[in-house]
Amino acid sequence: MPGPSWFPEANRLAELDRRVRTLELAARLERASIGAGGITVTDGGKIQVLDSSGNVLTELDSDGVEVFEADGSTLVLIDGTGIRLNNSAGTRLAEFTQTGLRFYDASGNVLVEIDSVSLDIFNTAGSTLWSSAQLSSFGERVMAVDPTLQTTTSASYVTLAHWYPNSDNVNEVEVTVDCSWGDTTVADLRIWAWPTYGSTGAGGVIDTITGVTGLLGGGLFGVTLNGSLAGLWAGSGLDIYLEARRTSGADFLDVYPRRPLIASRTF
């Protein structure tokens, strides 16, 4: 039979048993503050946020972070491949991945796509509205030492700028130039297209503005030429030229060509 010395140990065991039972029956922790030590989850465990019904709303584990609707559909997913955002119906709205950035409409159609090659904008039917490919494949040759100011006194048309958009679906062009000559001098301006190697078509004048009179004192003014390329070419290359000639007066024709607008859609 145990002696009196055993009683204190029995009392400690009884107290420990009482405390364990109290913890088991206690309500869940409603609020806590964690110091600088933080939380460490081992053996592939996870941290979850649940709603009052026990549905997982947020989950953090070794694979990433996921945010859910109460019905279990994913709203946000962040993992080693990128970030994906969905609407409440589970349809993808946007994704940021190693291959690029994409935005979608409510039906899942790609509206905007950006990758290492280009930026593309689509309508809901999947047709391209705009693509940076027309910019990245856009070249420019200006026929003078100074790439900004072009000048001539010729009575015959002289090429002042030469652009070559490398695209097979260009059908509109618009060129704006800033000009400067006196009000006693008159000039003609025109833009025309010519098929490059590998293309077919006769080429031709896109737009001509005649009788352009300068300003008193030779102030700066703008002139815009534009038109359709339909029927002028077909293929994979096109050259566009800006030309000017002086028809009367004695001033130099000072022209500052801007980069043209090359459109790959039908107006």
Side-chain angles (χ1 to χ4, degrees):
M1 180 174 182
S5 62
W6 181 81
F7 294 148
E9 298 300 326
N11 291 336
R12 288 195 192 93
L13 289 173
E15 177 63 16
L16 289 174
D17 182 68
R18 184 189 67 79
R19 291 183 180 182
V20 169
R21 292 180 180 275
T22 300
L23 290 174
E24 289 177 342
L25 297 175
R28 292 185 178 183
L29 182 66
E30 296 294 335
R31 182 178 301 173
S33 177
I34 301 171
I39 296 177
T40 300
V41 180
T42 62
D43 298 327
K46 61 182 67 176
I47 297 175
Q48 294 180 326
V49 177
L50 310 180
D51 65 12
S52 57
S53 300
N55 301 306
V56 178
L57 299 181
T58 305
E59 183 172 275
L60 169 64
D61 58 23
S62 58
D63 293 326
V65 179
E66 196 163 2
V67 179
F68 303 90
E69 279 275 23
D71 62 3
S73 59
T74 300
L75 294 177
V76 180
L77 174 62
I78 305 173
D79 58 21
T81 64
I83 302 173
R84 294 167 178 82
L85 309 177
N86 300 333
N87 63 16
S88 57
T91 303
R92 184 65 43 82
L93 297 179
E95 60 183 358
F96 310 82
T97 68
Q98 296 171 347
T99 60
L101 165 65
R102 296 172 186 84
F103 294 98
Y104 302 82
D105 65 12
S107 299
N109 302 302
V110 177
L111 297 179
V112 179
E113 183 171 24
I114 305 172
D115 56 28
S116 60
V117 177
S118 65
L119 185 157
D120 300 291
I121 300 175
F122 307 91
N123 62 19
T124 54
S127 300
T128 301
L129 296 178
W130 185 87
S131 174
S132 65
Q134 68 187 51
L135 299 181
S136 62
S137 63
F138 181 85
E140 180 178 8
R141 290 192 289 265
V142 178
M143 312 302 287
V145 175
D146 183 346
T148 304
L149 169 62
Q150 318 303 317
T151 187
T152 185
T153 58
S154 174
S156 301
Y157 275 114
V158 173
T159 298
L160 298 184
H162 173 196
W163 300 279
Y164 51 103
N166 299 322
S167 177
D168 60 0
N169 61 351
V170 172
N171 51 34
E172 295 280 339
V173 62
E174 179 177 288
V175 175
T176 299
V177 295
D178 296 318
C179 306
S180 177
W181 54 83
D183 61 343
T184 60
T185 297
V186 181
D188 296 339
L189 297 171
R190 73 181 183 185
I191 51 174
W192 64 282
W194 188 259
T196 58
Y197 178 78
S199 300
T200 59
V205 175
I206 302 170
D207 192 20
T208 301
I209 298 180
T210 60
V212 180
T213 302
L215 299 178
L216 180 65
L220 203 64
F221 61 95
V223 176
T224 298
L225 303 97
N226 57 70
S228 172
L229 299 171
L232 296 181
W233 72 296
S236 59
L238 181 73
D239 290 275
I240 297 174
Y241 299 87
L242 168 69
E243 297 184 330
R245 68 181 178 186
R246 188 178 68 185
T247 57
S248 65
D251 290 331
F252 281 86
L253 304 181
D254 291 338
V255 179
Y256 303 82
R258 303 181 195 175
R259 183 178 293 274
L261 171 65
I262 307 296
S264 59
R265 61 186 177 93
T266 302
F267 292 89

